[in-house]
Amino acid sequence: MQAVLDADALVTTAFLDTLGTVIAPMNWTGYPPVDNPQYEACAVTYRGPADSTRGWWLHYTQHHDQLGDPRHALTLTAPCACGTYLSVELPDEDTLIRMLDELNTPPGTPVACDHRLRIRAASYGDPSHDSFEQPF
């Protein structure tokens, strides 16, 4: 699937020194687009403990801007202590590094619900915490 190839290419170019060192090539699961023009094909990889369903996820998709040009979007989805999830778009490696520096929890563990990431303010991630289901 093209989304898997694009996700691999994005990680090995734009996130070479961080995610590129921990995500094996083709370690993504691809999903086809759904019957809604807002949702395109995507790829997802789980980044948490092997024995847990509450780990962190990376989600890749391609959006089109207002001019119709494609834009790659990589989003980190992490569990909150309340049992829901938060999502933060990662436009580049520097954003990922700043976000991880702000967190006081190890990767894969829940983030406190009242923890407001400064970097999250610029993200299109869900600020409402209204889903109790796993993200993928």
Side-chain angles (χ1 to χ4, degrees):
M1 169 175 277
Q2 189 62 44
V4 170
L5 298 174
D6 291 343
D8 266 336
L10 179 64
V11 166
T12 57
T13 56
F15 295 87
L16 181 62
D17 295 326
T18 53
L19 298 174
T21 64
V22 296
I23 299 175
M26 302 304 286
N27 194 27
W28 297 84
T29 301
Y31 294 92
V34 295
D35 291 336
N36 182 333
Q38 173 181 340
Y39 301 108
E40 305 220 7
C42 68
V44 176
T45 187
Y46 179 65
R47 307 305 326 150
D51 61 349
S52 173
T53 60
R54 297 291 297 172
W56 295 16
W57 301 81
L58 284 169
H59 176 268
Y60 166 84
T61 192
Q62 199 178 81
H63 297 286
H64 289 85
D65 63 18
Q66 293 177 354
L67 299 175
D69 295 326
R71 185 177 81 74
H72 300 281
L74 186 64
T75 305
L76 175 69
T77 301
C80 285
C82 68
T84 61
Y85 286 86
L86 65 88
S87 295
V88 178
E89 184 178 1
L90 304 172
D92 55 38
E93 200 162 47
D94 291 336
T95 302
L96 171 64
I97 292 167
R98 285 194 317 270
M99 186 201 68
L100 292 175
D101 282 345
E102 287 184 48
L103 290 175
N104 57 1
T105 60
T109 58
V111 175
C113 279
D114 60 352
H115 188 80
R116 298 290 176 221
L117 296 171
R118 290 184 302 274
I119 202 69
R120 190 171 176 217
S123 174
Y124 71 81
D126 175 24
S128 64
H129 285 42
D130 61 359
S131 172
F132 286 94
E133 298 179 18
Q134 290 190 35
F136 307 102

